[in-house]
Amino acid sequence: MKNSFGQNLIVTLFGESHGPAIGAVMDGLAPGIPVDESFIADQLTLRRPAGDLSTARREADAFSIVSGVFEGKTTGTPLCILIPNTDTRSGDYTALRHLPRPGHADYTAQCKYHGHQDYRGGGHFSGRLTAALVAAGAIALTALRSKGICIGTHILRCSGLSDRPFGDLASDLAALNTMPFAVLDRAAAQAMQQAVLRAAADGDSVGGVLETAVTGLPAGVGEPWFDTVEGLLSHALFSIPAVKGVEFGDGFAMADAAGSCCNDSFCLKNGRVVTKTNHNGGINGGITNGMPILFRCAVKPTPSIAREQETVDLRSGESVPLQIRGRHDPAIVHRARVVVDSVAALVLCDLLTGRFGTDWLCGRTDEAPAERAAT
Amino acid sequence: MKNSFGQNLIVTLFGESHGPAIGAVMDGLAPGIPVDESFIADQLTLRRPAGDLSTARREADAFSIVSGVFEGKTTGTPLCILIPNTDTRSGDYTALRHLPRPGHADYTAQCKYHGHQDYRGGGHFSGRLTAALVAAGAIALTALRSKGICIGTHILRCSGLSDRPFGDLASDLAALNTMPFAVLDRAAAQAMQQAVLRAAADGDSVGGVLETAVTGLPAGVGEPWFDTVEGLLSHALFSIPAVKGVEFGDGFAMADAAGSCCNDSFCLKNGRVVTKTNHNGGINGGITNGMPILFRCAVKPTPSIAREQETVDLRSGESVPLQIRGRHDPAIVHRARVVVDSVAALVLCDLLTGRFGTDWLCGRTDEAPAERAAT
Amino acid sequence: MKNSFGQNLIVTLFGESHGPAIGAVMDGLAPGIPVDESFIADQLTLRRPAGDLSTARREADAFSIVSGVFEGKTTGTPLCILIPNTDTRSGDYTALRHLPRPGHADYTAQCKYHGHQDYRGGGHFSGRLTAALVAAGAIALTALRSKGICIGTHILRCSGLSDRPFGDLASDLAALNTMPFAVLDRAAAQAMQQAVLRAAADGDSVGGVLETAVTGLPAGVGEPWFDTVEGLLSHALFSIPAVKGVEFGDGFAMADAAGSCCNDSFCLKNGRVVTKTNHNGGINGGITNGMPILFRCAVKPTPSIAREQETVDLRSGESVPLQIRGRHDPAIVHRARVVVDSVAALVLCDLLTGRFGTDWLCGRTDEAPAERAAT
Amino acid sequence: MKNSFGQNLIVTLFGESHGPAIGAVMDGLAPGIPVDESFIADQLTLRRPAGDLSTARREADAFSIVSGVFEGKTTGTPLCILIPNTDTRSGDYTALRHLPRPGHADYTAQCKYHGHQDYRGGGHFSGRLTAALVAAGAIALTALRSKGICIGTHILRCSGLSDRPFGDLASDLAALNTMPFAVLDRAAAQAMQQAVLRAAADGDSVGGVLETAVTGLPAGVGEPWFDTVEGLLSHALFSIPAVKGVEFGDGFAMADAAGSCCNDSFCLKNGRVVTKTNHNGGINGGITNGMPILFRCAVKPTPSIAREQETVDLRSGESVPLQIRGRHDPAIVHRARVVVDSVAALVLCDLLTGRFGTDWLCGRTDEAPAERAAT
């Protein structure tokens, strides 16, 4: 479905980096979910560039909700969020119109849209559009939280440095959700930030690995064969610019392990079936088993770097050197993590809505007697 | 869409391991694709268990095409392939009905289907259903080949041992497509096979990494934001049982690399824009750039192992030891690779049909004059 | 989705009139629905040609359920029904390969499939495929009945003759569901049957209007703007060969009526909000209001008639006379009504599954204690 | 897909009658379609209430295109159109919050959204949202016209009065496309307008029948079994508020006709296969045959009437009289016809994009040499 994702909760993205606005439409939200605009703003702040670690482009991200909310709650009809673009300096891009930047979508967009694409700042492919995903995701996160489902992501690796692994998930997720630079170990956080600054000073950029946990999901969610939890999450996660790998549980490490070390034995804990270990990341056969979901995303280094690169002038067909000016991020892994949370929340709301019906994500609170009788 | 995948070419899977048959329906195939039943049989043979490396269950995989083929070619209407189950020994499973096997979908199926699932041999979750994917994929591979698009997969790692990397893709893919144990380096192949046998003797199992290349795809294919080539491929690949990770190009290795080492510079070669390197695996911004697509799948070790494990009796809620009998594979990575080729072929046919229309995958050959005039 | 319909309960049709078999896959059924094979057989009998009113082709419709049923109930995984073709006389059609029959899909299939279609007996377009819809619909009808939802259709008009209007729906629907010729007024039934025989003797055919009622649906079902109850039902109903019009409530008659005669006032009856009249056929704004759903389908006369007609030879481009031999129906309206019931049942199960979740259509009956604890 | 329609060109509607704005997102448009804002404005004018025949609510419909257009042409990425609401008098509706209006979606929305819906002016169900459909449809109409495909609709009946039937389609469609009151016969137009005014004076409202023709479609478009041209068009047409019936070709009249009078014989005309008559409305087996498509929609009278009606107070459960104040249309059939054109254009663009690929609706004009080489 191109720019839409989901079957029961459907999110549609639109907009270009240098157009008047970007935005998203969410269709299939349960009626009655509280919409907390300050929480949306907080989430946008976590994604927004800040300080030396990010591009100098500064957008206020002053969003407006155009539809689907009434008296502070979702109506159940499509919710459209609009985020105007304000700090655009399109002139930076004129010279690049026919010079595709390596690692970007410039050349592939040219092949697909035959030159009609808005080339300025990556146009529709700009990471700017993830702001709309974050705004939409904030509403999904609220709905999930009301059902006891929590999501959090930390920077597990950045520029070759590692954070400590997840420990107690309840406290780790709570801590992460307000951290501007989401690293659990303070020393690791400082080292990573210095590495980003060194790369920036060097005209280069760095990537990383984001690790995400989801707690509180009921067992039995997921639709084999194709709409598995892994399949749907990875499908959506690969939409995040720069994500080039996704793994669940022990992931690629399982390829070298013995079967006896990968199976998670079942046992009973407080009257509930749980697994002793969680090598499979809370998913068996594509369906949740009630344990925390664990996955990791590989985020490649930002392709916009200050160093001179080589490209081809698409008009003349000649090789030319390329110097990218404009404002860019030496790393996006710290900004991407709230996008990962948002995408995961949207995918899970979609799956849960399909599994339990359109009212599940919000308790019914306003039944008129007549209606109760009729149904 | 649960057990269907694709939007333009839609594949629907059905069947259970111990039911009368499994099968697939393909809808949206171009009319006029030659259907070569011996090629389908060959592909099924590559997936079929054989020798000491695999389960002792032996299915003839005598498929029949029930619809959608006329005079040796696709009609353009749904093609249904049926593969009867013959060598089922359901008695092996009776004792396991209420004892979920670790690493399998038994417990999650119980949570999702409330005990109505066919529990025998994993039922609908059995790897047996990949035979239907392989049969469907064979037709997609034929259609792609007629357009100069080739797909091939090798076992890059197995039990901690590595194959040599891809070299000349044309000859490597040609060699792989008929190899029963798809490892490019002969010595590595022998070492891996011995490692599998050792694991089997030890009552254990091993996993591996499959690496796939696709050549000949036109640039400009893929649908941002969500229906990216990476998103669609990973979505489908995670349906293959045991796949727990998917990465494109340099994948997770990019997380530790500098941006200047991840960007692929553009240059002109024989009048065609190409990239000097291919760190991004032929995909920028989710769209093909005309270079070979490269991806890797992590395959976990087979969860059915001979060693005693622990589980919970779902009737009594008590912890019990579990000894799995029946017939099982000490490794499936060598059988899974043709499934990966098949899934990739189906996804790419879907994308290409959407991009270029329903006739593109087969040249029109039989136009009546009247029709030519009418359109 | 071409040959699939539905988003939560998805039905996929396959097969050709003269191929080895036709069939359907149902994906998204709740687990635990009892599958009554004798009810499926009864429904197929209502559709099957019989007596002088129908084609002489006689198919036993000996169906087999290939997957998705275990111990007499649906598993929740895809259910595939296969109906072999046995009484095919393909020789009847060889002469027609390049002579498109007026009113049939022969010419349009040639334009769409470029000559690759199976032309014999209409191939994939044959009314024969409605047998698969009826078999699938029987399972949907069973699921609905367990929730108190009933569907029934009568021949309101045939060859210019009218049945009496619906009266008490409970008794009318019960009576219709076993009637071979579904006309409520016995005298009208006889007159209609004689009119069909006269048309047959005259080498001609007749059409009719089918009127359907659905009782017991809860209020609040339907998805504006596009997936309205009217939109989804009409979408599926127009798939039934020969249906050329669909109207809800008073339908086209409302075009000439005053607004004051079309609005259905609300009142309270037994503590439940109902409408005093039902001009809108139980649907307001595309959503059910709890009153019976009422719709009518216009069924055109069978296009296969014995009289000589004119067509064009698609090879030579010359006009030629056409004499259709083979075995044909002078009317299909009496056979189509069970197809209408089936299609309506499938559409409503799809909507209800989306609205109330995947378990709603079947009470959970087999919860293991462990599972109860986990969810 | 709830508020989205289409599979290749997907339109998503959002907004409420008294919210800040309504709008639509179009995804899957070919790149390079010229976007003529004055044509969009003209189409909106044809839909906008005007004179005595319509509600006194006057919206400027000053739309803005937020994304997907660059340098005057579509980019191929999602196009979002926003239409602010300005002339809202929400106070008119406060008294109605718990008093569902007969014939409207008030009660069904209450049942579906449990009181969270925006009840003011019908909220999301308001005919106001058709302005967004018309704006989107204008772009689809432009794309179709560039391929020689024309659509036009006239008021065939209104308040029991009839227009003349379609004659020469080329001139009739050209004339209709700029007519504010789309009736081909001038005398009939005047009589209809007077009937509307009489109904208004009487506190009542009238309905009508809209008849639409589409010329220039290639043969071979449509996707059996389910995505037939009739099925897709009717699905979308029933989304238009007040449409309660849809028929193709001779429609319901075929139910009483003989088969020999319904079949359209084939002949050759100027070297092209055509049919001598067009009883089937250009569609056989759900696929276009190259003849004009003809269909009719039944439009019920506006449910908002000045006369006192009966309803139930949903708080108290008591029957109460209802007097609707506010501003309303005594007829909408004359405003709905441009909505029908728009919906038909969107559906056909969707089908054509699926059939011929994403570039078909716009000639490629801007190929860089490098790209030409690469594909």
PDB file of all heavy atoms in Angstrom, chain A residues 126-152:
ATOM      1  N   SER A 126      12.830  12.410   2.748  1.00  0.00           N
ATOM      2  CA  SER A 126      13.546  13.028   3.858  1.00  0.00           C
ATOM      3  C   SER A 126      13.164  12.413   5.202  1.00  0.00           C
ATOM      4  O   SER A 126      11.988  12.101   5.456  1.00  0.00           O
ATOM      5  CB  SER A 126      13.209  14.524   3.890  1.00  0.00           C
ATOM      6  OG  SER A 126      13.660  15.102   5.096  1.00  0.00           O
ATOM      7  N   GLY A 127      14.148  12.290   6.069  1.00  0.00           N
ATOM      8  CA  GLY A 127      13.892  11.832   7.431  1.00  0.00           C
ATOM      9  C   GLY A 127      12.919  12.745   8.160  1.00  0.00           C
ATOM     10  O   GLY A 127      12.324  12.353   9.177  1.00  0.00           O
ATOM     11  N   ARG A 128      12.736  13.941   7.608  1.00  0.00           N
ATOM     12  CA  ARG A 128      11.752  14.867   8.169  1.00  0.00           C
ATOM     13  C   ARG A 128      10.382  14.223   8.350  1.00  0.00           C
ATOM     14  O   ARG A 128       9.654  14.525   9.286  1.00  0.00           O
ATOM     15  CB  ARG A 128      11.659  16.076   7.224  1.00  0.00           C
ATOM     16  CG  ARG A 128      10.529  17.051   7.495  1.00  0.00           C
ATOM     17  CD  ARG A 128      10.963  18.178   8.387  1.00  0.00           C
ATOM     18  NE  ARG A 128       9.853  19.062   8.738  1.00  0.00           N
ATOM     19  CZ  ARG A 128       9.436  19.250   9.989  1.00  0.00           C
ATOM     20  NH1 ARG A 128      10.060  18.674  10.989  1.00  0.00           N
ATOM     21  NH2 ARG A 128       8.433  20.056  10.239  1.00  0.00           N
ATOM     22  N   LEU A 129      10.019  13.328   7.441  1.00  0.00           N
ATOM     23  CA  LEU A 129       8.683  12.716   7.535  1.00  0.00           C
ATOM     24  C   LEU A 129       8.511  11.835   8.761  1.00  0.00           C
ATOM     25  O   LEU A 129       7.384  11.513   9.146  1.00  0.00           O
ATOM     26  CB  LEU A 129       8.353  11.915   6.270  1.00  0.00           C
ATOM     27  CG  LEU A 129       7.677  12.767   5.184  1.00  0.00           C
ATOM     28  CD1 LEU A 129       8.719  13.497   4.362  1.00  0.00           C
ATOM     29  CD2 LEU A 129       6.769  11.950   4.332  1.00  0.00           C
ATOM     30  N   THR A 130       9.639  11.448   9.371  1.00  0.00           N
ATOM     31  CA  THR A 130       9.491  10.635  10.579  1.00  0.00           C
ATOM     32  C   THR A 130       8.867  11.439  11.716  1.00  0.00           C
ATOM     33  O   THR A 130       8.349  10.841  12.666  1.00  0.00           O
ATOM     34  CB  THR A 130      10.843  10.051  11.042  1.00  0.00           C
ATOM     35  OG1 THR A 130      11.759  11.115  11.274  1.00  0.00           O
ATOM     36  CG2 THR A 130      11.424   9.110   9.993  1.00  0.00           C
ATOM     37  N   ALA A 131       8.877  12.764  11.613  1.00  0.00           N
ATOM     38  CA  ALA A 131       8.163  13.556  12.636  1.00  0.00           C
ATOM     39  C   ALA A 131       6.680  13.192  12.647  1.00  0.00           C
ATOM     40  O   ALA A 131       6.051  13.096  13.715  1.00  0.00           O
ATOM     41  CB  ALA A 131       8.354  15.050  12.378  1.00  0.00           C
ATOM     42  N   ALA A 132       6.118  12.972  11.462  1.00  0.00           N
ATOM     43  CA  ALA A 132       4.696  12.597  11.399  1.00  0.00           C
ATOM     44  C   ALA A 132       4.482  11.206  11.988  1.00  0.00           C
ATOM     45  O   ALA A 132       3.465  10.942  12.653  1.00  0.00           O
ATOM     46  CB  ALA A 132       4.205  12.661   9.959  1.00  0.00           C
ATOM     47  N   LEU A 133       5.447  10.315  11.762  1.00  0.00           N
ATOM     48  CA  LEU A 133       5.348   8.983  12.368  1.00  0.00           C
ATOM     49  C   LEU A 133       5.392   9.072  13.889  1.00  0.00           C
ATOM     50  O   LEU A 133       4.682   8.335  14.589  1.00  0.00           O
ATOM     51  CB  LEU A 133       6.507   8.097  11.888  1.00  0.00           C
ATOM     52  CG  LEU A 133       6.325   7.380  10.559  1.00  0.00           C
ATOM     53  CD1 LEU A 133       7.609   6.657  10.175  1.00  0.00           C
ATOM     54  CD2 LEU A 133       5.173   6.372  10.653  1.00  0.00           C
ATOM     55  N   VAL A 134       6.232   9.967  14.381  1.00  0.00           N
ATOM     56  CA  VAL A 134       6.361  10.108  15.838  1.00  0.00           C
ATOM     57  C   VAL A 134       5.075  10.685  16.434  1.00  0.00           C
ATOM     58  O   VAL A 134       4.607  10.227  17.492  1.00  0.00           O
ATOM     59  CB  VAL A 134       7.585  10.978  16.184  1.00  0.00           C
ATOM     60  CG1 VAL A 134       7.585  11.381  17.657  1.00  0.00           C
ATOM     61  CG2 VAL A 134       8.867  10.218  15.831  1.00  0.00           C
ATOM     62  N   ALA A 135       4.493  11.654  15.756  1.00  0.00           N
ATOM     63  CA  ALA A 135       3.234  12.227  16.267  1.00  0.00           C
ATOM     64  C   ALA A 135       2.140  11.166  16.289  1.00  0.00           C
ATOM     65  O   ALA A 135       1.407  11.022  17.283  1.00  0.00           O
ATOM     66  CB  ALA A 135       2.825  13.423  15.410  1.00  0.00           C
ATOM     67  N   ALA A 136       2.040  10.407  15.214  1.00  0.00           N
ATOM     68  CA  ALA A 136       1.034   9.337  15.162  1.00  0.00           C
ATOM     69  C   ALA A 136       1.343   8.273  16.211  1.00  0.00           C
ATOM     70  O   ALA A 136       0.450   7.777  16.919  1.00  0.00           O
ATOM     71  CB  ALA A 136       0.995   8.722  13.768  1.00  0.00           C
ATOM     72  N   GLY A 137       2.621   7.952  16.317  1.00  0.00           N
ATOM     73  CA  GLY A 137       3.022   6.918  17.270  1.00  0.00           C
ATOM     74  C   GLY A 137       2.716   7.306  18.705  1.00  0.00           C
ATOM     75  O   GLY A 137       2.429   6.435  19.542  1.00  0.00           O
ATOM     76  N   ALA A 138       2.753   8.597  19.011  1.00  0.00           N
ATOM     77  CA  ALA A 138       2.470   9.033  20.381  1.00  0.00           C
ATOM     78  C   ALA A 138       1.055   8.635  20.791  1.00  0.00           C
ATOM     79  O   ALA A 138       0.812   8.224  21.932  1.00  0.00           O
ATOM     80  CB  ALA A 138       2.666  10.547  20.494  1.00  0.00           C
ATOM     81  N   ILE A 139       0.127   8.728  19.852  1.00  0.00           N
ATOM     82  CA  ILE A 139      -1.256   8.345  20.162  1.00  0.00           C
ATOM     83  C   ILE A 139      -1.354   6.831  20.349  1.00  0.00           C
ATOM     84  O   ILE A 139      -2.047   6.339  21.244  1.00  0.00           O
ATOM     85  CB  ILE A 139      -2.197   8.865  19.052  1.00  0.00           C
ATOM     86  CG1 ILE A 139      -2.158  10.401  19.067  1.00  0.00           C
ATOM     87  CG2 ILE A 139      -3.610   8.338  19.240  1.00  0.00           C
ATOM     88  CD1 ILE A 139      -2.801  11.048  17.862  1.00  0.00           C
ATOM     89  N   ALA A 140      -0.630   6.101  19.502  1.00  0.00           N
ATOM     90  CA  ALA A 140      -0.629   4.636  19.637  1.00  0.00           C
ATOM     91  C   ALA A 140       0.009   4.221  20.962  1.00  0.00           C
ATOM     92  O   ALA A 140      -0.483   3.307  21.644  1.00  0.00           O
ATOM     93  CB  ALA A 140       0.116   4.010  18.461  1.00  0.00           C
ATOM     94  N   LEU A 141       1.090   4.890  21.341  1.00  0.00           N
ATOM     95  CA  LEU A 141       1.753   4.568  22.610  1.00  0.00           C
ATOM     96  C   LEU A 141       0.820   4.806  23.794  1.00  0.00           C
ATOM     97  O   LEU A 141       0.800   4.030  24.753  1.00  0.00           O
ATOM     98  CB  LEU A 141       3.031   5.405  22.761  1.00  0.00           C
ATOM     99  CG  LEU A 141       4.219   4.940  21.905  1.00  0.00           C
ATOM    100  CD1 LEU A 141       5.270   6.041  21.786  1.00  0.00           C
ATOM    101  CD2 LEU A 141       4.855   3.669  22.488  1.00  0.00           C
ATOM    102  N   THR A 142       0.048   5.887  23.729  1.00  0.00           N
ATOM    103  CA  THR A 142      -0.923   6.167  24.792  1.00  0.00           C
ATOM    104  C   THR A 142      -1.959   5.057  24.895  1.00  0.00           C
ATOM    105  O   THR A 142      -2.300   4.600  25.999  1.00  0.00           O
ATOM    106  CB  THR A 142      -1.636   7.511  24.508  1.00  0.00           C
ATOM    107  OG1 THR A 142      -0.663   8.537  24.386  1.00  0.00           O
ATOM    108  CG2 THR A 142      -2.613   7.858  25.617  1.00  0.00           C
ATOM    109  N   ALA A 143      -2.461   4.637  23.743  1.00  0.00           N
ATOM    110  CA  ALA A 143      -3.481   3.580  23.749  1.00  0.00           C
ATOM    111  C   ALA A 143      -2.909   2.291  24.322  1.00  0.00           C
ATOM    112  O   ALA A 143      -3.558   1.608  25.119  1.00  0.00           O
ATOM    113  CB  ALA A 143      -3.997   3.354  22.322  1.00  0.00           C
ATOM    114  N   LEU A 144      -1.686   1.956  23.940  1.00  0.00           N
ATOM    115  CA  LEU A 144      -1.066   0.724  24.439  1.00  0.00           C
ATOM    116  C   LEU A 144      -0.842   0.796  25.946  1.00  0.00           C
ATOM    117  O   LEU A 144      -1.083  -0.161  26.686  1.00  0.00           O
ATOM    118  CB  LEU A 144       0.263   0.471  23.724  1.00  0.00           C
ATOM    119  CG  LEU A 144       0.165   0.103  22.244  1.00  0.00           C
ATOM    120  CD1 LEU A 144       1.559   0.034  21.633  1.00  0.00           C
ATOM    121  CD2 LEU A 144      -0.561  -1.229  22.054  1.00  0.00           C
ATOM    122  N   ARG A 145      -0.366   1.952  26.399  1.00  0.00           N
ATOM    123  CA  ARG A 145      -0.064   2.100  27.819  1.00  0.00           C
ATOM    124  C   ARG A 145      -1.305   1.874  28.669  1.00  0.00           C
ATOM    125  O   ARG A 145      -1.240   1.306  29.755  1.00  0.00           O
ATOM    126  CB  ARG A 145       0.551   3.466  28.092  1.00  0.00           C
ATOM    127  CG  ARG A 145       1.395   3.482  29.341  1.00  0.00           C
ATOM    128  CD  ARG A 145       2.526   4.479  29.246  1.00  0.00           C
ATOM    129  NE  ARG A 145       2.118   5.641  28.441  1.00  0.00           N
ATOM    130  CZ  ARG A 145       2.959   6.535  27.954  1.00  0.00           C
ATOM    131  NH1 ARG A 145       4.266   6.420  28.179  1.00  0.00           N
ATOM    132  NH2 ARG A 145       2.541   7.544  27.240  1.00  0.00           N
ATOM    133  N   SER A 146      -2.457   2.303  28.158  1.00  0.00           N
ATOM    134  CA  SER A 146      -3.702   2.108  28.921  1.00  0.00           C
ATOM    135  C   SER A 146      -4.031   0.627  29.060  1.00  0.00           C
ATOM    136  O   SER A 146      -4.853   0.246  29.889  1.00  0.00           O
ATOM    137  CB  SER A 146      -4.852   2.847  28.232  1.00  0.00           C
ATOM    138  OG  SER A 146      -5.273   2.130  27.091  1.00  0.00           O
ATOM    139  N   LYS A 147      -3.406  -0.198  28.254  1.00  0.00           N
ATOM    140  CA  LYS A 147      -3.599  -1.650  28.348  1.00  0.00           C
ATOM    141  C   LYS A 147      -2.398  -2.323  29.012  1.00  0.00           C
ATOM    142  O   LYS A 147      -2.263  -3.550  28.966  1.00  0.00           O
ATOM    143  CB  LYS A 147      -3.780  -2.236  26.945  1.00  0.00           C
ATOM    144  CG  LYS A 147      -5.114  -1.887  26.317  1.00  0.00           C
ATOM    145  CD  LYS A 147      -6.220  -2.671  27.016  1.00  0.00           C
ATOM    146  CE  LYS A 147      -7.584  -2.353  26.439  1.00  0.00           C
ATOM    147  NZ  LYS A 147      -8.644  -3.127  27.109  1.00  0.00           N
ATOM    148  N   GLY A 148      -1.481  -1.528  29.563  1.00  0.00           N
ATOM    149  CA  GLY A 148      -0.343  -2.111  30.268  1.00  0.00           C
ATOM    150  C   GLY A 148       0.789  -2.547  29.344  1.00  0.00           C
ATOM    151  O   GLY A 148       1.660  -3.317  29.751  1.00  0.00           O
ATOM    152  N   ILE A 149       0.787  -2.045  28.116  1.00  0.00           N
ATOM    153  CA  ILE A 149       1.829  -2.430  27.159  1.00  0.00           C
ATOM    154  C   ILE A 149       2.834  -1.279  27.031  1.00  0.00           C
ATOM    155  O   ILE A 149       2.448  -0.152  26.735  1.00  0.00           O
ATOM    156  CB  ILE A 149       1.196  -2.759  25.793  1.00  0.00           C
ATOM    157  CG1 ILE A 149       0.224  -3.936  25.957  1.00  0.00           C
ATOM    158  CG2 ILE A 149       2.275  -3.069  24.745  1.00  0.00           C
ATOM    159  CD1 ILE A 149      -0.723  -4.125  24.793  1.00  0.00           C
ATOM    160  N   CYS A 150       4.111  -1.548  27.295  1.00  0.00           N
ATOM    161  CA  CYS A 150       5.148  -0.516  27.264  1.00  0.00           C
ATOM    162  C   CYS A 150       6.219  -0.842  26.222  1.00  0.00           C
ATOM    163  O   CYS A 150       6.545  -2.015  26.017  1.00  0.00           O
ATOM    164  CB  CYS A 150       5.820  -0.385  28.632  1.00  0.00           C
ATOM    165  SG  CYS A 150       4.698   0.236  29.881  1.00  0.00           S
ATOM    166  N   ILE A 151       6.763   0.197  25.624  1.00  0.00           N
ATOM    167  CA  ILE A 151       7.794   0.067  24.597  1.00  0.00           C
ATOM    168  C   ILE A 151       8.942   1.002  24.941  1.00  0.00           C
ATOM    169  O   ILE A 151       8.705   2.139  25.354  1.00  0.00           O
ATOM    170  CB  ILE A 151       7.245   0.450  23.211  1.00  0.00           C
ATOM    171  CG1 ILE A 151       6.029  -0.419  22.864  1.00  0.00           C
ATOM    172  CG2 ILE A 151       8.319   0.327  22.132  1.00  0.00           C
ATOM    173  CD1 ILE A 151       5.433  -0.121  21.497  1.00  0.00           C
ATOM    174  N   GLY A 152      10.168   0.533  24.765  1.00  0.00           N
ATOM    175  CA  GLY A 152      11.315   1.421  24.958  1.00  0.00           C
ATOM    176  C   GLY A 152      12.510   0.929  24.162  1.00  0.00           C
ATOM    177  O   GLY A 152      12.663  -0.276  23.934  1.00  0.00           O
TER     178      GLY A 152
END
